[in-house]
Amino acid sequence: MATLNILVAVCLSYVALLFAVAFLAERAALRGRGGWLRSPIVYTLSLSIYCTAWTFYGAVGYAARSGLEYLTIYIGPTLVMIGWWWGLRKMVRIGRTQRITSIADLISSRYGKSNLLAVCVTCVAVIGTTPYIALQLQSVTLSFASFAQSDPQVMQFADSKITALWVAVGLALFTVLFGTRNLDANERHHGVVMAIALEAVVKLFALLAVGVFVVWGVGGGVSQTLARIDASDIGQWQVQGGRWTALIFLSAAAFLTLPRMFQVLVVENEDENHLRTASWAFPTYLMLMSLFVVPIAVMGLELMPEGANPDQFVLTVPLSQGQDGLAMLSFLGGFSSATSMVIVAAIALSTMVSNHVVMPIWLGLTGGGAMISGDVRHVVLLARRLSIAGVLALGYSYYRFSGGGEALAAIGLISFAGVAQFLPALLGGIFWRGATRIGALAGLGVGFSVWVYSLFLPSFGADVFLSTGLMQQGPMGLGWLRPQALFGIAGLDPVVHAVLWSMSLNAGTFILMSLLSFPEPLERLQGAQFVNVFQHSGNPQGWSGGVAQSEDLMVMAQRILGPVEAQSLFQREAEAQGLVGYLPEPTPDFLQTLERELSGSVGAATAHAMVAQIMGRATVSVEDLLAVADETAQMMEYSSQLEVKSTELTRTARQLRAANEKLTQLSVQKDAFLSQISHELRTPMTSIRAFSEILRDADGLSEAELTKYASIIHSEAIRLTRLLDDLLDLSVLENGQVSLNIQRGVLSEVLDHAASATGAESSSLRIIRKRGSEAVQMQTDLDRLSQVFINLIANAQKYCDADRPELTIRVLERDGYLIIDFVDNGTGIPSQAQGLIFEKFSRVSDQKAGGAGLGLAICREIMARLGGAITYLPGQGGAAFRVSLPMKVSLAAQ
Amino acid sequence: MGKRVLVIEDEPNIIEAISFILSRDGWTVDTHSNGHDAVEVVRRKAPDLVILDVMLPGKSGYDILTELRHDPVTQTLPVLMLTARGQIKDRELAERIGASRFMTKPFSNAEVLEVLRELVPQ
């Protein structure tokens, strides 16, 4: 009998299948063909990570021990989904507008982007979730053991510790691979979500299959099964009101506050409307999951020997009936439940740990904060990967340490009660403007302490952390502090007792301290933003613009978002402000947008801190405070109208100012144009006339003098011709009369030609190229393009003032454009000159007069003819020019 | 020894042409080719006459002339301005700030010599 070997093989192939599904979904999403990935059904199925191995195996055990009480675990979320979907919608809307990455981020962001609060929430979440991960590892090893028992020859294989270790390592690997591909959490994990949706289907199908087998295959049909249920103890309808209420409340709270649920519910949400579908589809899923729990429990109690673990009935009942195939399916169901929970929990926790603990520490240590060198994205990703490994390692250690002996449901409830402590701060934060950071911190602290003392520590059993004496007499004999009978109220169920005290003290402290403390301006802003999320569509403004250096911001953004994303963000924003180029004005709006984009990568608190470092300080304007103070809808509307008008006026004024400035500069240039052209033409003519008169009039010139003066005349005549050629070229280009000579060619060859035409090999300028990226086929006017390249390389030769001048040529393709960047390592072009360098006769410095100042003007005209553009790219360290060309050449000129 | 002339001009070929013509005519020619320290050079060399270009690197010929006219020592020094910018307002500006003579490039060699003799009688 090779059941166990087959089991391992099936298990591995199932994992391979998950990998394949996740990979394909990622790839489809990347290619923009993932429409079906974003269906409400996938969203609903992903919510099913609520049903972990605890639900899959534990519900039957729960039913076998405590009758219908297991239903409470399903009733809570059902009530939330059906009765409170408007509240969920609010959470999802806040999550999307504020680019929230985790529950810790949401709470910290609401209470004035407080990192202290984020760290506290993260710690509680890690402590609360670790036992839960241990529980999943335990359930997988237990199910392996169940198979092993039925297969005595391979007993030695089933070393549970080794199994758990392998499972933990495998899960860490999967999560790192698919959970940390994208940095921006708002870009969502399509692969993971898809794999989880598949697992949701598998676990539902498995449980239904076992149920159908039990009812019709063993129980002899519906009516007989019902009769058996009636005969057993489980069928007794014994509802303990207090315990039921507490458990329903707990499961409803946990549904909202579990980090993994928050991840799928809010962070991974693609579309608010998906909630509509999920509000009926998810309760239906839960109902199906719970449908056969009682029949399986009853049949298990009847069929299995006394003392068999009821948590394993889903597996052992089919096994005892010789249904190996069904047992295998059931095993996969349980395996799916466990793995999907662990994967999402690890992603959620790692995001919190890396954003709120690791990154602030790292930024603090590196000192420079926002302006540090290097690519921050690698650090963030590394932090996230290490956090995932850390979370799983914690879960595994807990499993080893606790010995994995307890009944599954008990750990689950303890965990629920732990994360439920977020509830007052969460609900208070999105419904009550008066809630403050102090209140949230105090409430969370009190609730968490009570939970640890009255439920978490006692759960390890007497004498592990708390001595038997302390449990029975209270600390130092203070009876009213007994962990399971606080304030002398004894006789309650421990869970009910702990939930009652922790939640009421938590909420009470939260409300009291909120009322007593005064919120900081940023808290009030964020509070208004969260509570009135449906009224506001704008964002709170925390920055006073003007002092920030857009270029510094760009340098920072490039390091966090990546150069491509950052550049297109800045370009988009500049365009929205009616400006050309890459540097938008540092208006409050822009800074807010930037901060929100950054927070998608590093969390709200860190993003705020990084922008603050460049901005100098965060200020709240009077207008912002007024907006907060205006309580009535009418005032709100009035002020927002004013705001719109004043924003419009400000923008118009800014555009006019920019236009005026440019016109003034152009008029000065225009005036200078005649002088310039006169100067450029007259200078060579002067030499020609003077020397030709000398040749004509002077006597007794030596042979050498004759030759020298003649050749000066000659070379000045050539200079004159070249200048006229350039002017004509420019004029032809400007009037659009140029005829292009379209040819096919490879980019690298055009660059080679340009490099050799400028004599770059023999000059001191080192050109750094990546030939691999230059193998691009083009169809354009290659000679004209080469003319542009020659100009740029020659400019770098002339103007790059580094000790060891270098020119880096980078090639990339984006949005159908071929982009070629020329970046040197000199001091670059001062920002006030950047707007003028493409104008005729403009020279950045009059010191190094190299040419007539027509080169870049010609380049600009050529690129416009070729359907592309040439722009100055700020924030690159040195002078940087970007040449972009459409990939599919559209013949711009006739 | 002939009279000494200082040519402040940045185009090498033009410097060469002027030097050739003037030295054949008996002048001692010094040259200088940027605007930064031109005033200082004038004071140090104390020439009998200065030929000054307008578009110089560092400092324009107008600024140099203004400074020279503000210094009692060089207030009356003969200065011939040469410029490639031939507009009327350039000439007006030059005369207003005290140029002794103003000529537009390209110039006739003979005319330059004639003007120089007028400014500094031999």
Side-chain angles (χ1 to χ4, degrees), chain A residues 671 674-675 678-679 682-683 685-687 689-691 693-694 698-701 705 708-709 712 716 719, chain B residues 11 13-14 16-17 20-21 24 36 55 57-58 84-87 89-90 104-110:
Chain A
D671 204 31
L674 283 179
S675 288
S678 163
H679 181 266
R682 283 169 188 271
T683 302
M685 275 158 63
T686 308
S687 304
R689 179 167 177 186
F691 282 112
E693 286 185 8
I694 290 170
D699 313 317
L701 289 175
E705 278 173 326
K708 187 177 178 197
Y709 298 159
I712 289 176
E716 292 289 346
R719 176 173 163 194
Chain B
E11 272 288 325
N13 289 341
I14 298 180
E16 171 132 24
F20 179 86
I21 304 160
R24 281 215 156 195
H36 293 289
M55 288 177 86
R85 304 212 297 203
Q87 285 173 308
K89 61 172 191 175
D90 294 316
T104 308
K105 295 178 190 169
F107 46 79
S108 142
N109 295 354

Side-chain angles (χ1 to χ4, degrees), chain A residues 532 535 629-641:
Chain A
N532 301 327
Q535 285 93 320
D630 293 342
E631 294 287 348
T632 65
Q634 204 181 359
M635 286 295 277
M636 221 51 177
E637 199 185 335
Y638 180 61
S639 96
S640 77
Q641 277 173 356

Side-chain angles (χ1 to χ4, degrees), chain A residues 33 68 106 132 269 298 337 345 373 406 452 682 739 753 773 851:
Chain A
R33 282 188 317 205
L68 291 173
L106 180 104
Y132 218 113
N269 178 287
V298 170
S337 317
S373 59
E406 268 180 282
V452 167
R682 283 169 188 271
S739 54
H753 173 253
S773 61

Side-chain angles (χ1 to χ4, degrees), chain A residues 83-117:
Chain A
W84 203 66
W85 72 273
W86 51 275
L88 288 177
R89 193 169 138 246
K90 189 165 188 179
M91 270 169 61
V92 169
R93 173 73 68 92
I94 291 172
R96 293 172 68 87
T97 53
Q98 301 284 329
R99 305 210 19 130
I100 296 299
T101 58
S102 65
I103 185 163
D105 198 28
L106 180 104
I107 292 180
S108 117
S109 179
R110 158 64 180 84
Y111 297 102
K113 308 184 182 179
S114 149
N115 203 45
L116 173 65
L117 197 50

Side-chain angles (χ1 to χ4, degrees), chain A residues 752-785:
Chain A
D752 286 344
H753 173 253
S756 66
T758 52
E761 284 87 0
S762 53
S763 80
S764 64
L765 180 77
R766 198 163 79 87
I767 299 186
I768 301 166
R769 291 167 58 182
K770 222 187 227 167
R771 292 189 175 268
S773 61
E774 292 172 1
V776 185
Q777 275 288 341
M778 296 184 302
Q779 191 179 2
T780 186
D781 188 328
L782 299 178
D783 296 334
R784 285 294 190 179
L785 190 61

Side-chain angles (χ1 to χ4, degrees), chain A residues 522-565:
Chain A
L522 192 54
E523 278 180 71
R524 306 195 66 166
L525 279 174
Q526 290 293 86
Q529 207 59 43
F530 276 53
V531 175
N532 301 327
V533 66
F534 290 115
Q535 285 93 320
H536 287 257
S537 49
N539 275 285
Q541 305 190 341
W543 303 112
S544 69
V547 270
Q549 296 297 314
S550 292
E551 201 156 346
D552 287 345
L553 289 171
M554 178 138 176
V555 171
M556 175 187 73
Q558 286 186 126
R559 284 173 183 151
I560 296 171
L561 303 173
V564 177
E565 282 78 6

